[in-house]
């Protein structure tokens, strides 16, 4: 078990380093931030001075080593736009993003799992077909298309909800619904598949033959075993919510980390982009690491190996 968790932790660290390295190289090769920030009409002397002050005149490998050295010392740099500390710039947007992602995640789990379980227990019924139609629709529809449809219906046509901004709780309804619908659909689909696979196993029939009530069979045996693949999907969704906020916040002009990332990329504010990508990478990798740990705890084979090792 210790080897299992150690290997997953090492893989998580390598994944974060690879993502950050890729983004660092792409940002340096995709254009000169000095031209974008200073303007095309800026004097060459001013542009050269800007590059020197931010270390952009150094070879890319020197910039890379300096960047990682700063990360390990806890310094992610300053914004090239206003000189503010990058950590402060990003952290002040985190509450706005959490105001969307946390309710959306609860919506995913609160709707997706019960819908998937109910559909599996009533296979081929009208409810099952309805859940599957909604699941396929939500899974196939891009979030920006769903966002625009919601705006068109509830903001433009009906006028019930605002389409952009963060002035009240009503402004959060459409973004949360956009992020929650797709995730709930995906989770319902996988939960149904996991439950159907478990319900077809011999130990379910054995438990029923022993006289256990159907509710006890479902709660004690089916749900526990179906939770293994479901937890994996939940982990992916948790990390994907943070990355998906980039699209949703941009559509609804929500002042969160995702919108800050889009603006920073357009402005070539390298330090802010790198800090946000690092945060998103750590969040997604941490979510997957937690899933790996839970998978090891829930998997009966892993538990048996642990008991045999102790014995």
């Amino acid at each position: 078990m210790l080897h299992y968790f150690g290997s997953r932790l090492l893989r998580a660290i390598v994944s974060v380093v690879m993502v950050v390295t890729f983004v660092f190289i792409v940002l340096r090769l995709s254009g000169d931030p000095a031209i974008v920030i200073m303007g095309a009409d800026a004097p060459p002397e001013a542009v050269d001075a800007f590059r020197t002050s931010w270390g952009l005149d150094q070879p890319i490998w020197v910039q890379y080593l300096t960047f990682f050295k700063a990360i390990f010392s806890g310094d992610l740099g300053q914004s090239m736009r206003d000189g503010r500390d990058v950590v402060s710039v990003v952290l002040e947007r985190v509450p706005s993003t959490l105001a969307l992602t946390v309710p959306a995640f609860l919506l995913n789990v609160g709707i997706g799992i019960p819908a998937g379980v109910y559909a599996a227990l009533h296979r081929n019924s009208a409810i099952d077909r309805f859940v599957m139609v909604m699941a396929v629709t939500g899974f196939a529809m891009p979030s920006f298309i769903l966002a625009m449809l919601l705006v068109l219906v509830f903001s433009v046509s009906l006028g019930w909800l605002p389409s952009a901004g963060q002035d009240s709780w009503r402004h959060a309804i459409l973004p949360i619904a956009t992020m929650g619908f797709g995730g709930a659909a995906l989770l319902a689909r996988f939960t149904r598949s996991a439950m159907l696979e478990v319900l077809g196993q011999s130990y379910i029939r054995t438990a029923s033959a022993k006289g256990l009530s159907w509710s006890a069979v479902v709660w004690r045996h089916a749900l526990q075993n179906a939770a293994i693949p479901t937890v994996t999907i939940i982990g992916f969704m948790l990390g994907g919510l943070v990355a998906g906020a980039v699209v949703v916040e941009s559509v609804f002009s929500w002042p969160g980390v995702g919108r800050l990332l889009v603006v920073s990329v357009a402005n070539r504010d390298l330090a802010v982009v790198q800090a946000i990508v690092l945060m998103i990478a750590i969040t997604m990798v941490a979510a997957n690491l937690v899933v790996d740990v839970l998978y090891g705890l829930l998997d009966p084979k892993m538990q048996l190996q642990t008991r045999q090792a102790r014995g």
Side-chain angles (χ1 to χ4, degrees), residues 95-132:
S96 296
T97 297
L98 291 178
L100 297 183
T101 54
V102 172
F105 178 74
L106 296 177
L107 193 64
N108 292 342
V109 176
I111 294 179
I113 293 180
V117 171
Y118 189 86
L121 296 177
H122 299 81
R123 186 178 184 181
N124 295 327
S125 66
I127 294 296
D128 180 30
R129 288 191 288 270
F130 174 77
V131 170
M132 284 300 96

Side-chain angles (χ1 to χ4, degrees), residues 176-191:
I176 292 173
T178 301
M179 300 175 70
F181 179 67
L186 176 64
L187 191 56
R189 182 180 178 184
F190 276 90
T191 301

